[in-house]
Amino acid sequence: MSSSVTATCPFCDSPAAVAFVKEGCDICDCSACGHRFAALELSPRHVDTVYGDDYFTAGGAGYEDYLAEGDLLRAHGKRYADLLTKYTPPGTMLDVGAAAGFIMRGFADGGWTVSGVEPNAMMAHHAQSQFGFDVAVGSLEQYQSDTQFDLVSMIQVVGHFYDIRAAFEKASRLLCPGGFLLIESWDQGSWPARLLGEGWHEYSPPSVVHWFTPERLANHLAAFGFQEVARGKPKKRLNGAHAKSLVGHKIADMPLSSVMQAGLKLVPDNLIIPYPAFDLFWGLYQRQ
Ligand SMILES: [Zn+2]
C-alpha cells in the first residue's frame, strides 16, 4: 500500500499517509496526532447523501428497521442516565444524532429535559410527533442555538461528522461551564478491530469517516477544553431482526453464505440478544 502523503488531518492539518484502501477510499493516519480518517471531500451535503431514509430502513450497514429497536434504545439511554447520576444530577441535554428519539426517551426516563438535533427529517419528525420532543433537523455543525446545556450526548455519532473540529467546537459552546459531553463510539484499538484489520465492520466509508481509540479521543477533546472524567464499555442488547440484518450483510459474499443465511432465518426477530460490545467504548468529558 502506498505510504505517500495524500491528505491533511482534519484535526491538526498535519500530513497523513495512506494506511489502506477500503471501498475505494484512502484510509489515512495523521503523522502528528495519529488520527485515522477517510480521505474524502466532505461537505454539509454528506449527511443528506449518507443518512437518507434508506440508512434507517434498508438494512445493510444501517438499520433493517430502526423503529423496531425503540425499546432497546430507550433502555440504552436509561442506562446512560443512570450512569451519569454518579457525576451530575439530571438537567438539560442535547442529543446529537437523535434519530427517532428513543435514546432521548431513556434520558427523559432518568429525569433529563431533552432536546435533539438529527439530520434525517423523517426520524426527527418521528421524535417530534410521537414523543413531543424538540428535535431540530440538520447537522450539529450547522445547528444554531443560544441555549447552554448541562449535557451533550453523541451516541455512535463522532465517526460521522463531516467537519469534526466545527462539531467539537459547537459542543463546547453549547455546554455550560462544567457541563458534560458523553460519547459512545467504536474503538479502533479494540481486539476485534485489530483482529479483523481492514475487514473490521466500522471501516465503512463514506458513512463512517473518523476512527478513534479512547485515548486519542480524549487527547483531541482536550484541545477543545474537555477533560476526560470516566470511560468504560457499554452493555448492549440487539433484537433478532437487527442482528440478522447486520450478520447477513457481513456474510453476503462469503462461501456457504446461503447456508448461513438459511440458519439465520431461524432466529426469531423479537429475540433479545446480548451484544458483545468489545469494540465499543463510552467516554465522559467535562467542559472546563
Ligand atoms: Zn492530526
Side-chain angles (χ1 to χ4, degrees):
M1 218 46 69
S2 162
S3 61
S4 60
V5 172
T6 62
T8 54
C9 174
F11 274 113
C12 72
D13 291 328
S14 298
V18 178
F20 58 92
V21 178
K22 187 74 180 278
E23 318 271 353
C25 174
D26 288 348
I27 308 298
C28 298
D29 288 332
C30 174
S31 59
C33 74
H35 182 53
R36 176 162 284 185
F37 61 97
L40 288 170
E41 206 65 52
L42 297 175
S43 74
R45 286 197 57 245
H46 175 69
V47 290
D48 297 332
T49 51
V50 173
Y51 309 109
D53 295 347
D54 283 356
Y55 180 77
F56 294 97
T57 57
Y63 292 86
E64 181 79 19
D65 185 352
Y66 184 83
L67 300 180
E69 295 278 300
D71 290 346
L72 295 173
L73 290 168
R74 182 177 184 175
H76 195 51
K78 179 60 163 53
R79 277 196 296 276
Y80 277 125
D82 292 344
L83 177 83
L84 282 165
T85 59
K86 283 187 222 163
Y87 306 98
T88 179
T92 56
M93 71 168 287
L94 178 73
D95 189 31
V96 177
F102 295 122
I103 298 260
M104 293 170 75
R105 287 190 90 193
F107 276 93
D109 291 342
W112 288 85
T113 302
V114 294
S115 305
V117 56
E118 163 58 40
N120 181 284
M122 182 182 78
M123 288 285 135
H125 177 72
H126 183 272
Q128 292 157 350
S129 62
Q130 296 297 305
F131 311 131
F133 291 152
D134 172 17
V135 176
V137 178
S139 64
L140 177 65
E141 290 94 325
Q142 294 181 314
Y143 178 70
Q144 299 293 339
S145 173
D146 295 328
T147 308
Q148 282 198 307
F149 297 91
D150 300 306
L151 172 70
V152 170
S153 57
M154 301 177 178
I155 308 300
Q156 296 186 25
V157 166
V158 289
H160 303 295
F161 287 126
Y162 64 84
D163 184 342
I164 195 143
R165 278 195 298 220
F168 284 173
E169 277 165 14
K170 184 67 66 74
S172 177
R173 247 184 299 147
L174 287 167
L175 279 168
C176 309
F180 288 90
L181 174 62
L182 173 69
I183 291 177
E184 179 187 290
S185 191
W186 301 92
D187 182 357
Q188 179 203 329
S190 65
W191 67 260
R194 283 182 281 123
L195 188 72
L196 296 168
E198 300 171 20
W200 187 40
H201 61 87
E202 274 306 288
Y203 290 128
S204 55
S207 168
V208 182
V209 291
H210 305 281
W211 296 274
F212 300 92
T213 64
E215 296 76 17
R216 280 214 319 272
L217 183 58
N219 287 341
H220 291 313
L221 285 166
F224 297 87
F226 289 101
Q227 184 173 3
E228 187 182 62
V229 175
R231 72 169 74 147
K233 295 214 168 281
K235 296 185 183 71
K236 295 214 75 172
R237 300 247 186 287
L238 284 178
N239 70 30
H242 188 188
K244 282 190 281 191
S245 169
L246 282 177
V247 177
H249 177 63
K250 267 172 219 153
I251 66 176
D253 300 328
M254 292 169 64
L256 294 177
S257 168
S258 60
V259 175
M260 287 189 277
Q261 297 275 15
L264 272 179
K265 289 209 177 79
L266 301 175
V267 177
D269 285 352
N270 60 359
L271 180 71
I272 302 301
I273 301 166
Y275 176 78
F278 300 114
D279 50 2
L280 274 174
F281 70 97
W282 59 263
L284 185 65
Y285 314 87
Q286 189 165 25
R287 199 198 131 182
Q288 301 304 292

